[in-house]
Amino acid sequence: MNTPAVRRPNRALWRGAHLATLSPDSPWGWIPDGAIVTEGERIAWVGPAAALPAGLAVDAEQDWGGGVVTPGLIDCHTHLVYGGNRAREFELRLQGASYEEIARAGGGIRSTVQATRSASDAALLDATLARARVLLREGVTTVEIKSGYGLSQADEARCLRVARAVGERLPMTVRTTALGAHALPPEFAGRADDYIDALCDWLPGWQAEGLVDAVDGFCEAIAFSPAQIDRLFSRARALGLPVKLHAEQLSDSGGTALACRHQALSCDHLEHLDAAGVQALATAGTVAVLLPGAYYFLRDTQLPPVAALRAAGVPIALATDHNPGTSPTLSPLLMMNMACTLFRLTPEEALAGFTRHAAQALGLHAHLGQLTPGRQADWAHWAVDHPNELAYRFGHAPVCRVVRAGQPVQEVLA
Ligand SMILES: N=CN[C@@H](CCC(=O)O)C(=O)O
Ligand SMILES: [Zn+2]
């Protein structure tokens, strides 16, 4: 009997650029004049071009022609699915109204809920795809997309379906996060506990439809208490879903400690995090996701405790937090610049924040976030001489060409 030949996946050799692999073994994971061998969607070999295995047979060879190659960027906290915008609220805040005042008066998240509920499926998808394309153009190959502007069983599911559709229409890995506990919808006014009960009941249906990779909440005086988030997270964990939390953004509410008791993948924002919260993150192995866009746009002055996080060995990720109310940006490189200028991250920490540590914030670090053998062949090729240039510019980004799962994506963007 003939044994069928096992065909190896298509093998390609890429060379002619410096590599910032983001492997933690050396600064930047730097490999000058490097090469990558891919087999199908995965990286098979990475190293100096001079050390390529002798006699390597490849099906295709590409010359980058200079520049620097980094892992594909990972935007691990976005709210890409929504209708309308909040430019009027921006004007009000510039005149002195605070984010909390606007929210308590029924504006803020609730005004976006209204606009989202009244948008058609097609309009929501088109707007979300347009936003995702901007991220992809700036090197983002993986994006987390939260719901949170539907706040009913049907509208949250609709937003999660739109998020899933982004991963089907564009060459990006999409992780969906159910953020029903973002704000109290009008039909549950004065009944926050009942709303949490409803969310606990809706979760299994969304999960069964394949819509949920993680569960998130907003733990804050204007949103939900630690006790309410605790009930939601207990339900999520019982269903086998990981959790993450918007925590300590506007005040120290104790959300981080609570989330860490549920082994949260990440706690996000953290401007008001105290020493006990830093320790809780370190003990639980939870990633701190810092969001300089929201800090800047709300004209916050309370800095997240970066030095303490660093000293405790907590991995720090960054994200755009794209949303219409507090961070209407779609530029990861601008966020890297702001993380350096406002939060005092180093440019290398900023890049790790959008690659290695962002992968960890999504539970994907074994597969994404570094240019190392076995991981998915996702990268961004930048017209720069050194990766420290990525955090250096602001307001414009260097030219970037993107490869996702071994395939160039430029034609999708044309
Ligand atoms: N903090 C809560 N959620 C969003 C803001 C949402 C909004 O204002 O629409 C954030 O991550 O910043
Ligand atoms: Zn958010």
Side-chain angles (χ1 to χ4, degrees), residues 76 287-292 314-319 345 349-350 352-354 357-359 361:
C76 67
V287 177
V289 178
L290 304 185
L291 304 170
V314 176
I316 299 175
L318 298 173
L345 265 68
E349 286 173 327
F354 263 104
H357 293 159

Side-chain angles (χ1 to χ4, degrees), residues 138 296 329 331-342 384 388-398:
E138 208 171 284
Y296 160 81
T329 178
S331 175
L333 265 53
L334 179 59
M335 295 306 100
M336 286 189 213
N337 175 273
M338 285 186 179
C340 296
T341 53
L342 301 174
V384 299
N388 63 10
E389 291 175 59
L390 299 179
Y392 153 73
R393 292 180 180 79
F394 62 97
H396 64 111

Side-chain angles (χ1 to χ4, degrees), residues 77 79 86 89 99 108-109 112 146 149 179 182 218 246 249 269 291 294 298 321 323-327:
H77 180 141
H79 308 249
R86 305 240 290 277
E89 185 183 307
Y99 181 70
I109 294 172
T112 301
K146 301 176 196 296
Y149 294 118
L179 177 57
H182 199 193
F218 186 18
H246 289 68
Q249 180 189 14
H269 287 290
L291 304 170
L298 292 178
D321 186 19
N323 76 74
T326 67
S327 191

Side-chain angles (χ1 to χ4, degrees), residues 11-388:
R11 186 183 285 157
L13 167 63
W14 302 73
R15 63 195 302 171
H18 304 311
L19 308 182
T21 68
L22 270 294
S23 149
D25 302 337
S26 63
W28 305 95
W30 185 239
I31 302 179
D33 195 8
I36 297 179
V37 177
T38 56
E39 284 185 354
E41 299 187 349
R42 314 241 138 243
I43 295 171
W45 186 93
V46 180
L52 272 164
L56 181 79
V58 295
D59 305 299
E61 192 164 339
Q62 305 275 341
D63 190 337
W64 280 305
V68 171
V69 174
T70 68
L73 302 185
I74 298 172
D75 195 351
C76 67
H77 180 141
T78 81
H79 308 249
L80 286 193
V81 188
Y82 60 86
N85 70 65
R86 305 240 290 277
R88 177 63 192 143
E89 185 183 307
F90 176 51
E91 288 183 313
L92 292 174
R93 285 197 297 99
L94 292 175
Q95 288 160 17
S98 74
Y99 181 70
E100 289 97 322
E101 281 162 4
I102 291 169
R104 287 190 197 283
I109 294 172
R110 268 175 285 226
S111 74
T112 301
V113 170
Q114 223 171 13
T116 304
R117 286 180 177 181
S118 53
S120 69
D121 291 2
L124 268 187
L125 178 59
D126 282 357
T128 307
L129 283 170
R131 294 173 191 130
R133 274 194 199 94
V134 177
L135 292 175
L136 183 55
R137 266 187 211 109
E138 208 171 284
V140 173
T141 49
T142 299
V143 60
E144 183 257 16
I145 305 179
K146 301 176 196 296
S147 62
Y149 294 118
L151 308 191
S152 70
Q153 184 170 19
D155 283 297
E156 284 291 292
R158 211 158 70 92
C159 293
L160 291 166
R161 279 184 211 114
V162 166
R164 271 279 176 264
V166 172
E168 287 150 18
R169 305 286 186 95
L170 295 178
M172 300 175 94
T173 301
V174 171
R175 301 299 276 182
T176 59
T177 300
L179 177 57
H182 199 193
L184 194 59
E187 53 280 15
F188 281 86
R191 296 188 298 125
D193 284 314
D194 291 350
Y195 181 58
I196 294 290
D197 288 344
L199 281 175
C200 291
D201 289 345
W202 298 340
L203 262 186
W206 298 339
Q207 184 186 27
E209 201 186 319
L211 296 177
V212 187
D213 296 321
V215 172
D216 197 346
F218 186 18
C219 188
E220 195 60 64
I222 56 166
F224 297 95
S225 68
Q228 288 161 343
I229 297 291
D230 189 29
R231 283 201 294 122
L232 176 65
F233 281 7
S234 297
R235 183 75 179 120
R237 301 295 290 146
L239 293 168
L241 292 167
V243 298
K244 41 213 296 120
L245 188 65
H246 289 68
E248 333 306 349
Q249 180 189 14
L250 307 172
S251 62
D252 185 356
S253 313
T256 299
L258 174 268
C260 289
R261 286 201 288 279
H262 290 277
Q263 283 77 49
L265 287 174
S266 72
C267 288
D268 303 37
H269 287 290
L270 303 178
E271 280 84 349
H272 292 263
L273 188 69
D274 65 7
V278 172
Q279 200 42 55
L281 291 170
T283 306
T286 295
V287 177
V289 178
L290 304 185
L291 304 170
Y295 172 90
Y296 160 81
F297 198 65
L298 292 178
R299 298 194 301 158
D300 202 348
T301 51
Q302 175 75 35
L303 285 163
V306 169
L309 290 168
R310 199 185 270 134
V314 176
I316 299 175
L318 298 173
T320 61
D321 186 19
H322 176 86
N323 76 74
T326 67
S327 191
T329 178
L330 287 165
S331 175
L333 265 53
L334 179 59
M335 295 306 100
M336 286 189 213
N337 175 273
M338 285 186 179
C340 296
T341 53
L342 301 174
F343 294 170
R344 293 284 178 249
L345 265 68
T346 67
E348 185 185 349
E349 286 173 327
L351 184 56
F354 263 104
T355 53
R356 191 172 73 236
H357 293 159
Q360 194 174 340
L362 298 179
L364 296 175
H365 41 299
H367 310 288
L368 302 174
Q370 297 177 50
L371 297 173
T372 51
R375 286 191 166 82
Q376 188 159 290
D378 291 0
W379 64 72
H381 172 216
W382 305 94
V384 299
D385 295 320
H386 192 277
N388 63 10

